[in-house]
Amino acid sequence: MELDSDPHILLTNDDGIDAPGIRALHDALSAVGTVTVVAPDRNRSAVGRSLSYGRTRSSRDDDDDFSLDLETDSFTSPVPHTDHELGYAVDGTPCDCAIVGTNGLEPQPDIVVSGCNSGANLGAYVFSRSGTVSAAMEAAFLGTPSIAVSLDTLGYDRDLEPGDFERAGEITADLVAGTAGTGLFDRVDYLNVNVPRPDRDPNGFELTRPTEVYEMDAALEDGSFELTNRLWQQMANRDIPDAEDTDRHALLEERVSISPLRVPYEVVDAEPVQRILEDVL
């Protein structure tokens, strides 16, 4: 898919429409295209690819707020929203916003940008967990190229402002503007971009693959379960086991990590599954 030189850009996020990261991206992207914002009306971080489909957001216990069209065999579910100075504030998830923005508005966007997230989104394990990356994945599944953008904030001990996301905005705008005529999105469905902390000196960029390292621990302490994410501990200590071509390694080298990715998930031809099925069915 080729992008126009003046593309229509759908901008969403998972930190909420009032987050400083989406404001920064809106301002930067407005210089390279026409921007429409459809974003959650509040923070919806880490909701993954969940949908509000079939539920009333104002009444979370109500599972009956949807209708069935018997003529088309389709279900319809409302997605409440309010007007916002940036666009539309949706009472729903990032994936709700991606669907509404790509299929519910005219003109349809040429590209979807999700972010800029406060906090890095690194590793293969995060893709179905991060609302930021999930919105980009949702757009890709719907046939619209997309870019997920996140800013490393680990150890950055001050309140974030739109200015802190300025570099991320410039990089994203350059990526959107630079793809015109390249055929990039004929081969790539979405990009996962991670930008170093705003107080770090930039050290270029690197094309990366998502790290496959995943370490979570759990314990029962004083009658309560506790989860520990050792990946963030490693990041904070700047001591990671990741290979040099991975996203997390690039970020710790103060380089912008850009992972070109495709959907859907890879299907593996597993002969043992075939044998099991032949034995039991």
Side-chain angles (χ1 to χ4, degrees):
M1 176 183 292
E2 290 286 352
L3 293 188
D4 295 333
S5 57
D6 183 23
H8 289 275
I9 304 165
L10 172 68
L11 177 60
T12 190
N13 73 348
D14 73 351
D15 287 337
I17 198 167
D18 292 316
I22 198 170
R23 170 73 66 174
L25 256 61
H26 173 270
D27 293 347
L29 292 171
S30 294
V32 299
T34 302
V35 182
T36 299
V37 175
V38 182
D41 59 5
R42 59 191 180 281
N43 191 308
R44 298 302 298 266
S45 296
V47 299
R49 293 193 61 221
S50 64
L51 298 176
S52 298
Y53 179 76
R55 291 179 289 162
T56 305
R57 266 67 59 192
S58 59
S59 177
R60 303 289 172 174
D61 296 329
D62 186 354
D63 293 328
D64 299 323
D65 193 19
F66 59 90
S67 60
L68 170 64
D69 187 332
L70 295 177
E71 293 184 359
T72 62
D73 289 330
S74 62
F75 285 93
T76 299
S77 179
V79 182
H81 76 276
T82 57
D83 292 338
H84 187 278
E85 61 175 320
L86 291 182
Y88 302 97
V90 174
D91 186 4
T93 69
C95 284
D96 289 336
C97 296
I99 297 169
V100 168
T102 54
N103 290 337
L105 298 175
E106 293 292 343
Q108 289 186 316
D110 299 303
I111 188 168
V112 173
V113 175
S114 180
C116 181
N117 191 64
S118 175
N121 279 300
L122 304 164
Y125 78 94
V126 83
F127 292 160
S128 293
R129 178 179 298 170
S130 161
T132 302
V133 179
S134 291
M137 290 181 65
E138 190 72 25
F141 273 109
L142 293 171
T144 303
S146 56
I147 302 175
V149 190
S150 303
L151 178 72
D152 180 27
T153 58
L154 187 64
Y156 192 60
D157 56 355
R158 50 163 285 188
D159 292 335
L160 291 166
E161 300 176 353
D164 294 316
F165 295 87
E166 183 176 353
R167 187 197 311 170
E170 292 172 351
I171 291 167
T172 308
D174 287 343
L175 284 171
V176 171
T179 57
T182 65
L184 168 66
F185 288 112
D186 292 334
R187 304 182 299 277
V188 174
D189 293 329
Y190 68 107
L191 303 175
N192 187 40
V193 179
N194 283 278
V195 180
R197 274 172 41 173
D199 60 340
R200 304 290 193 190
D201 292 331
N203 189 26
F205 73 92
E206 188 169 338
L207 293 179
T208 60
R209 64 178 176 86
T211 181
E212 296 181 1
V213 175
Y214 182 53
E215 298 182 35
M216 288 287 291
D217 200 3
L220 181 60
E221 298 286 347
D222 298 325
S224 299
F225 289 115
E226 294 182 350
L227 300 180
T228 301
N229 188 334
R230 300 199 181 281
L231 299 177
W232 291 111
Q233 291 177 347
Q234 293 168 0
M235 284 278 288
N237 297 335
R238 303 184 69 82
D239 178 23
I240 62 172
D242 308 68
E244 292 186 359
D245 63 342
T246 60
D247 50 6
R248 197 157 66 125
H249 187 278
L251 198 66
L252 282 186
E253 293 295 319
E254 317 301 351
R255 298 171 70 82
V256 178
S257 167
I258 304 176
S259 298
L261 301 165
R262 300 203 66 172
V263 297
Y265 298 105
E266 181 181 2
V267 176
V268 178
D269 182 14
E271 184 180 344
V273 177
Q274 178 70 26
R275 293 201 303 267
I276 292 171
L277 293 174
E278 290 174 350
D279 290 341
V280 301
L281 296 179

